[in-house]
């Protein structure tokens, strides 16, 4: 099972926001952002905060990719 955060990176580009600005806005640590950069799992709490900040849904941020 694999996941991708490509939707999140595209959203950030569309909103003119950097990864660091997002990290600071939602209060996540640099390790969490690094995990997302490697398409690793993060908590639902982090995803909720991101969706709240960017006014979007989980499907806009994360995608499940079947092996």
């Amino acid at each position: 099972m694999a996941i991708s955060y490509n939707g999140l990176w595209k959203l950030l580009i569309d909103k003119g926001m950097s990864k660091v600005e997002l990290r600071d806005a939602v209060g996540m640590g640099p390790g969490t952002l690094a995990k997302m950069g490697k398409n690793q799992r993060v908590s639902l709490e982090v995803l909720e905060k991101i969706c709240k900040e960017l006014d979007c849904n989980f499907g806009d941020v994360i995608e499940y990719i079947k092996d």
Side-chain angles (χ1 to χ4, degrees), residues 37-48:
K38 297 175 185 173
N39 290 324
Q40 296 176 346
R41 295 181 188 144
V42 298
S43 72
L44 280 176
E45 182 180 358
V46 169
L47 295 176
E48 286 178 60

Side-chain angles (χ1 to χ4, degrees), residues 15-26:
K15 294 186 180 276
M17 186 179 217
S18 73
K19 292 178 182 180
V20 173
E21 289 171 331
L22 175 67
R23 185 190 73 199
D24 293 342
V26 300

Side-chain angles (χ1 to χ4, degrees), residues 1-36:
M1 161 170 56
I3 58 173
S4 170
Y5 295 101
N6 286 340
L8 172 60
W9 311 136
K10 290 175 187 173
L11 264 176
L12 289 178
I13 290 168
D14 290 345
K15 294 186 180 276
M17 186 179 217
S18 73
K19 292 178 182 180
V20 173
E21 289 171 331
L22 175 67
R23 185 190 73 199
D24 293 342
V26 300
M28 72 173 132
T32 303
L33 187 61
K35 286 174 81 172
M36 294 176 83

